[in-house]
Amino acid sequence: MAALSVYAENPSVMLQYSSSPLPFESSPRETFRERFTVAFDRRVDELFADRFHPFNVMNWSLELPDSGSDHLRERAASAARNVLSKSVLQSVREATVDLPILLWLKERQGLLADFLRNSVGSVGEEAVAPLDVSYRLEERSWWQRLSESGKVRYGIRPFSTSPYTFLSLGLKDGDGWFLLAHVRYHYRQFADHLFEIALSVPLAYGLGIDVGSSYQCGRHGEMEGLVVKLLKEFKSGGILHIGLEAREHPAFFAGIAMPW
């Protein structure tokens, strides 16, 4: 599928590795309400920009090409409701990580505190989709914040429909990053082990390469797929995205979006 679209430039959504978005974490001196407000403003902007990105809107129109504008309106309304509810839930989680008990624990057991904080917060991690061939603005924001924080992030998602543990880290070459990595481990049916691996390599001139894979070990061991994505971010704010998926049924996605 190829898509050619334009979108209104949103200055609050920055995509470059070197950009400066809203703070990754709130200040512990703020009240819960203030931390929630800051987190909600960031999450709702980011999620709306992600869900209504031209690439996604183009996908909606291609799902049912004969359904007309009614289908697009229904999808847009459903996406908006989902964004609002998800923003509230994720903002509560982000505001919770600076509760006094977690700050007290951080002063005495830093590793355990970081584990709990990342397990409750770090909500952007959930947007990483190693086997998704399309462009995901929310996922790009996670890579961006990971590169800016410079921290190793690790935690567990026990309440997910498919519980997993995760580890995110970056490798530096001098003052710049040459590799960002994200690994998830799923324990399935007491015998199978699923690993999801996502790598992001920032290159010069606004280029970047993402590689994602998933491999299941155990009785049914096999590689579930391999995805390679090439991105080009223009100084004007435009995005060129090309994605290739190697599976039993290969897929290809290419799109360009320019501001106006």
Side-chain angles (χ1 to χ4, degrees), residues 21 34 41 44 81 93 117 135 147 193 206 216 220 234 256:
E34 290 171 336
D41 288 343
V44 74
R81 290 192 296 268
R93 290 169 54 186
R117 289 164 62 89
Y135 179 82
S147 68
H193 310 271
Q216 182 168 296
H220 309 290
F234 301 98
I256 183 171

Side-chain angles (χ1 to χ4, degrees), residues 70-128:
D70 290 340
H71 170 68
L72 290 178
R73 282 196 296 267
E74 291 174 1
R75 285 301 304 269
S78 176
R81 290 192 296 268
N82 180 266
V83 164
L84 290 175
S85 60
K86 188 174 181 180
S87 298
V88 171
L89 292 175
Q90 291 188 345
S91 299
V92 170
R93 290 169 54 186
E94 292 281 25
T96 302
V97 300
D98 283 323
L99 289 177
I101 187 172
L102 289 177
L103 296 177
W104 176 87
L105 184 63
K106 184 174 180 62
E107 295 176 354
R108 292 159 177 80
Q109 296 290 337
L111 293 178
L112 177 58
D114 287 341
F115 176 80
L116 293 175
R117 289 164 62 89
N118 288 324
S119 298
V120 175
S122 296
V123 294
E125 178 275 332
E126 298 171 356
V128 179

Side-chain angles (χ1 to χ4, degrees), residues 182-208:
H182 183 69
V183 180
R184 290 183 183 140
Y185 167 69
H186 301 255
Y187 186 52
R188 290 183 171 179
Q189 300 176 355
F190 305 100
D192 295 325
H193 310 271
L194 177 66
F195 290 91
E196 291 181 308
I197 302 174
L199 306 174
S200 183
V201 182
L203 302 175
Y205 307 110
L207 290 169

Side-chain angles (χ1 to χ4, degrees), residues 28 37 44 50-51 62 85 97 114 128 143-144 168 170 189 191-192 204 208 226 229 243 247 259:
T37 301
V44 74
D50 179 75
R51 297 298 184 273
L62 293 176
S85 60
V97 300
D114 287 341
V128 179
W143 289 124
Q144 172 192 329
S168 299
Q189 300 176 355
D192 295 325
L226 176 66
K229 294 182 282 191
R247 282 189 180 185

